[in-house]
Amino acid sequence: MEEATQIAQLLKQTLSSDDNAIRVATDSLDRLSVNPNFPFYLLTIASGFFFGSFLRSERGESQGLNISAATYLKNFTRRNIESDRASSKVSKEFKGQLIQALLQVEPSVLKILVEVFRVIAVAEFVKENLWPDLVPNLRSAIQNSNLVNNLNSKWNTINALIILRALLRPFQYFLNPKVAKEPVPPQLELIAAEILVPLLEFFHQFVKKALATHDRADIETEKILLTVCKCLHFAIRSYMPSTLVPLLPSFTRDLISILGSLRFDCVVAFEDGHLSRLKTGKRSLLIFSSLVTRHRKHSDKLMPEIINCVLSIVNFSKNISKLDFMSERILSLGFDVISHVLETGPGWRLVSPHFMSLLHSAIIPALVMNEKDVSEWEEDADEYLRKNHPSEIGEVSGWREDLFTARKSAMNLLGVISMSKGPPLAASSECSSASTKRKKGEKNKRSSHLRTMGELLVLPFLSKFPIPSNSNWSRDSILNDYFGVLMAYGGLQDFLREQEPHYIISLVQTRILPLYTLAVCLPYLVASANWVLGELGSCLPEEMSADVYSQLLKALVMPNKQDLSCYPVRVSAAGAIMTLIDNDYMPPDWLPLLQVVIGNIGNDDSESSILYQLLCSVIEAGDEKIAIHIPFLVSSLVGSVSKCIIPNLEPWPQVVAHAFAALAVMAKTWESFKSEELKSESSISPEKWASGQAAICRAFAELLQQAWLAPLFTVDQQGQRSTPLSCIEDLSTLLRFVMLSITEDHMIQELKVMELLSVWADMVAEWNAWEESEDLSIFDCVKEVVNLDQKYGLKNFLVKHVPSPPAPPVPERSVIESISAFISEAILQYPSATWRACSCVHLLLHCPTFTLETESIKQSLAVVFSQAAFTRFREVQSKRCSLWKPLLLSISSCYLCYPDTVEGVLEKGEEGGVAIWASALCHVSRSSSEACLTAESDMKLIVMTLAKLIEQLLRQGNSGAVSMQDCFIALLDLSMRLKEVQQEGKGEEEEPEESENDEDDEDSDGDFEDEDDEDSEAEEYEETEEEFLNRYAKAAEELENGSIIEEGDVEDQEPETELGRLIDIDEQKVVLSLIDKYSRVLINGRVLSSHVVVNFLNAFPEHGSYFQQFR
C-alpha cells in the first residue's frame, strides 16, 4: 500500500494551482506507470475504496482525487491500448475489478471510468472477441442489480446499463465497411440474446411504472428508460440481431406509449425527470427512423401505428413558439419520421390520406412566423439567419447539426410530399416503361397519373394565402402566414426545378416580387423573399434573373427602420445575389453592384465580412469586365482593411480574413487579365496597365507591412517578437503580386520586400495547417522568390547575416533555409502537397546561384530534402502509387548535387537504403511501369542520375547490394526514350499548322461527344442499393489500403521539373563519356537485354563500336 499512498499523493498534487508542482507530479506518475500494479492502484483510488492517512482528516477532497485517478487511468489505458504492443493486453484480473468498480462508483467517476471500459471492450471484445466472460457477467449484474431484483444489492442498475450502452456504442456503425452486405457480428448477436431480450421485459415493466406516475416523474425510472432506449438504438441502427425481431412489435408499442405521454400543449416545469422523458421520446423517434430506413422488411407492419403516433405529435406544431429546445427537437424528428415513411411504398398509402391535414395543422403552423422569430431577429440576427435563411455565405452557411428545427424538418417533409407521385405502379408495364425510358425532350411531359402532389395539392393550397398588399399589410395574421408561405416555397426547390420555365416565372412574378414594391417595407418578409430567390437561383429562367437581380440590389442597401435592424435583409440579399452570379447570371453593368458593396464595407464588421465574400464572387464571375476596376477597388478598400488589422491578435477577426481573401482574388484576376490583354490588341495602353499595377502593388505592400512588420516591434508574454500566422495563404498571394510587380532594383528596398520575405519565410517554416487550408499560393510564392533572386540577387536569401552586438552572434535562418523547412514538412505530412513540394526541391537546388561561401547551405538543403523524400518513400514503397515519381525525382536532384552525402542519408534512413532507391529508380525508368517517366525534364534528370549512380558504384567497387547491370539497362532504355521525346518535340515545333488542324478536329469530335453525353443524361439512371453498397465497400477498401489518401489530390499534378543550370548539360555526352570510360566493366562479359541494346543503337548508332558483341 506504500506505492498506492505515493500515487494518491502525486494525484493530489496534480490538483494544485502551481504549474511546476503539476509538472513534477505528472513526471513522477509517468515513471511509476511501468509498475504492473499501477493501473490497479489507480482503479482502487478512483473507486473510492482507498483513503490513505493523509486523507482521513480531509475526506471532503476525496471526490477530486477519485476523478483525478479515473482521468489518469483513462489516458493511461488509451495510450497503452493504442500503442498496439503485445504488453498492452489487459489482464483478466484487472477487467474483473474494473467491472466491479463500474457497478458501484458515483456518477461523476462513472462517466470517466466507463471510457476506460469502452477502450478495452473495443480492443478485446468488439475487434478480437477475447473477453468471453464479459456478457455473462454483465447479464448477471443487471439481473441482480438494485432496481431490477434486489433493493439491497450493491450493484447499481443504472451503472450496469451505462456499461451496456458503452459496450453497444461501437455497433451503431458497420464494423467492416469493406463488406457490401455485412452480417450481424456474433458479439452483437450474443449481447442481444443474453442481455437485450430479457432486458426488454424489464423495460416494459418500467414503462408501465413510469406512465402510472402522472404528476411527478421518478428520476431513476426515467434514466433507466432513456439508457435502455439508447442501447436498443445502438443495437439496431445498422444491424438487426435476429433475436430482437420477434420483440419489435411490443417494443415499438412501449415507445409509442412513452411518446404519447409527452405534453406539448402547456408549459411544463423543466425538471430532471421531465427532461429525461423528453430525451427518451427523442431517442424513440430516432429508433423509428432507423427501423423505417434500415430495416424495412421488419418495420412495414409497424408503420401504421408509428404513423398514427407521429401524426399526433406534429399536430402540436401550433405551439412551437412556447416549446423548449428538446420539445421542438421531438417535433422536428416527428416530421423526419413521416418523410422517411412517405419515401416507402407502404408509406404512401399510410400518409397520403393525411396530406391535407398535415399541411393545414402541422406543416404550415411550423412555418409561420412566431414570437421566437421576432425575438431572435432583434437579439441575435446571425442565429436567426442560421436557423431560417441558411446560405453559402459567412457563418450562415448550411443547416448545422446543432440547428435542427421543426421548421426545417417541416420544409423537408413538404418537399418530399411535393415530389411524390403516388405508389409505385409496378402492375402497369406501360407506366413503368414510360417512367424509366423517357426520350430526350420528354422529361416534363407527364400524363395525368404522373402528376406530382406539388402540382395537385401543395401549390394550390399555398395559393389560398393572400399576398400582403398596401391594403392589408397591417394585419399580423396575413404577414405571419405569408412568412410561412415563403418558407414553404424555399422547401420546394427540387420540385420547382423540374417545372417548365413559365411555371417558375408566374410564381416569382405573382407571389414573391410584389413584396418588393409595397409602399410599406416589410423587412421580415423581404428577408424571406431574398432567401427564397436565392434558393431558386439555380432554376430561375434567364429572362427572369434580371428582374430578380434588380430587386435584390435594392434590398442589399435597405436601411434600418427606426428600432428595427434590417441586417438580415441585407445579408440574405447578398447571399441571393451570390447564388445568382454563381449560376451564371451576368448583370449588364457591374459597376452599380461594386459601388454598393464598396460603399457599405466598413460600416459594420459582420456585414463587411459578408460583403467581402460577395465581392469575391463578383470578381471571379465578372473577370475581364471587372478587372479594369481593380486598382480603384483596391485603393478604396485599403483604408477599411487597415483599420481592422490588430497587431498580435491571433487569429485575426473574420472580417480581416475575408478582406484578404477578396484582395487575393483581385490580385489573381488582375494578373490573369493583364497578361491576356497585353498579348492581344487591347484598347488600354501599357502605361495605364503599369500605373494600375504600381498602385495595386504599393497598396498590397503597405498592408503586408502593417500585418507582418508592425507586430515585430511588439513583444508577446514570453518576451518574443511574434507575427500572426492568420491568412498566410491569401497574404502569400499578395506578396507574390508585389514581387511580380518589381521591375527595378530600388523597388525592393522601397517596398521592404526583403523584410517581408524574411517574415513570410519564418511563418511558412512553422506552417502546420495542411488539413485546414489551401497551400497553392505558398508554393507559387516560393517559385517567385527564386525568380526574383535570379533577377536581382536578394540579400539574405541564401545566408542570414550575424546580428550586430549586443545581440548574441547566432545567425537567424535565411529565407531559403526557412523555405526548405516548409518544403520538407510538406513532403512528410500531406500527400496532396507532395507533388508541389517536390517540384520546389528542384527549383531550390538548381536555380539559385550558390558560391563557395554558400555551398554548405546547398548541401544542407540536399540533406533535408533527401531525408524527407526517402522517409516518405519508405511509407508508400509497398503501394507503388503515383507518389513514387516525385519522391524519387527529388532524391535524384539531391543525389546529383552531393552523391556521397545523399548515400549516407539513405543508408541512415534504412540499411540498404541506396539499393532500395536505385531499384525503385530502375522501376520507374521502364516504359511498362505504372509510374513511368513521360516528361522530357524528368527523363533527363533520371538519365544523369543513373549515370552518376553507376559511376559511384564503379568508383566504390560495387558490393552487389545495388545491381549495376539493372541500372545500366535502365540507363540505355531511358536514354533511347528521351531522344524519341526530344525528336517528337522538334517535330511539333516544325508543324504548327497541322497541330492546329488537329485541335479543330478534336473540338469537333468533342461536340459530338457532348451531344452523346446529353443523350445519355436524358435517360435517368438510379443507382440500386446493391450497387451503392458495392461502390462504397470498394471505396472503403481503397481508403484502408491508402491508394486514395496516399495519392492525394490529383488535380493539377505533375508540374514540370525545373532543372535550372542542369538544363545546359548534354546528357548524351554524359552517357557516352560513361560508356567510353567504363565499357569493359559495363558491357564486356555482361548479359544485357538484346532488345534494349538494339533499340539504343537505333537511336544512337554512333555508339555501335562499344556493343560489337550484340550485333
Side-chain angles (χ1 to χ4, degrees), residues 1024-1035:
T1024 66
E1025 180 184 2
E1026 183 177 358
E1027 291 170 333
F1028 170 83
L1029 292 174
N1030 287 330
R1031 178 164 58 86
Y1032 269 76
K1034 182 180 178 182

Side-chain angles (χ1 to χ4, degrees), residues 111-282:
K111 184 178 180 180
I112 303 170
L113 279 185
V114 79
E115 282 299 302
V116 178
F117 168 79
R118 187 188 63 80
V119 171
I120 298 173
V122 168
E124 300 206 357
F125 179 77
V126 177
K127 292 183 178 179
E128 302 293 338
N129 202 8
L130 297 176
W131 197 344
D133 56 347
L134 173 59
V135 173
N137 289 346
L138 186 54
R139 178 192 60 199
S140 176
I142 294 173
Q143 290 175 344
N144 295 294
S145 60
N146 62 335
L147 299 179
V148 172
N149 192 33
N150 184 2
L151 291 175
N152 296 321
S153 174
K154 60 180 180 179
W155 310 139
N156 187 301
T157 302
I158 295 175
N159 287 24
L161 292 175
I162 288 175
I163 298 172
L164 177 62
R165 183 186 69 191
L167 180 61
L168 286 166
R169 184 180 291 274
F171 295 103
Q172 67 177 315
Y173 305 114
F174 288 111
L175 299 180
N176 188 2
K178 295 184 295 181
V179 178
K181 291 187 177 181
E182 184 184 354
V184 180
Q187 299 96 312
L188 181 58
E189 287 282 17
L190 178 65
I191 296 171
E194 296 292 320
I195 299 179
L196 294 180
V197 170
L199 183 60
L200 285 180
E201 177 60 34
F202 294 121
F203 178 76
H204 180 68
Q205 296 173 11
F206 278 106
V207 170
K208 291 197 295 184
K209 179 181 177 182
L211 298 181
T213 57
H214 301 288
D215 299 328
R216 187 172 182 82
D218 179 70
I219 294 177
E220 286 188 327
T221 301
E222 297 298 335
K223 286 183 178 179
I224 287 175
L225 295 180
L226 175 59
T227 309
V228 172
C229 283
K230 286 183 178 179
C231 291
L232 266 295
H233 185 218
F234 292 156
I236 69 168
R237 188 173 183 181
S238 294
Y239 305 101
M240 176 55 73
S242 58
T243 51
L244 291 182
V245 174
L247 301 177
L248 286 179
S250 60
F251 177 59
T252 300
R253 293 185 188 99
D254 284 338
L255 298 183
I256 290 173
S257 298
I258 293 172
L259 289 167
S261 70
L262 302 179
R263 302 294 300 274
F264 301 100
D265 54 353
C266 62
V267 179
V268 183
F270 202 73
E271 301 171 350
D272 288 342
H274 172 64
L275 180 59
S276 293
R277 179 73 63 86
L278 289 173
K279 289 182 178 179
T280 305
K282 168 193 163 186

Side-chain angles (χ1 to χ4, degrees), residues 385 388-393 396-399 408 411 486-497 504 508 512 516 527-540 548 552 572-573 575-580 583:
L385 288 166
N388 300 292
H389 305 324
S391 68
E392 297 302 320
I393 193 168
V396 294
S397 59
W399 293 105
K408 177 218 169 179
M411 289 169 57
L486 291 172
M487 298 301 292
Y489 289 146
L492 299 180
Q493 53 181 311
D494 290 337
F495 162 73
L496 293 174
R497 194 175 287 118
I504 301 171
V508 173
I512 299 177
Y516 294 90
S528 299
N530 292 340
W531 175 72
V532 172
L533 292 173
E535 292 295 286
L536 301 181
S538 61
C539 52
L540 280 176
V548 169
L552 290 174
S572 58
I577 292 174
M578 205 161 90
T579 303
L580 276 182
N583 282 281

Side-chain angles (χ1 to χ4, degrees), residues 818-862:
S818 295
I819 291 174
S820 70
F822 165 75
I823 297 299
S824 60
E825 194 68 12
I827 293 173
L828 288 169
Q829 294 297 332
Y830 202 42
S832 74
T834 301
W835 280 95
R836 297 188 287 274
C838 288
S839 71
C840 291
V841 168
H842 313 295
L843 191 75
L844 293 170
L845 285 174
H846 305 311
C847 291
T849 303
F850 292 96
T851 63
L852 288 175
E853 292 79 9
T854 59
E855 191 67 23
S856 61
I857 299 294
K858 183 177 181 180
Q859 187 171 5
S860 67
L861 295 182

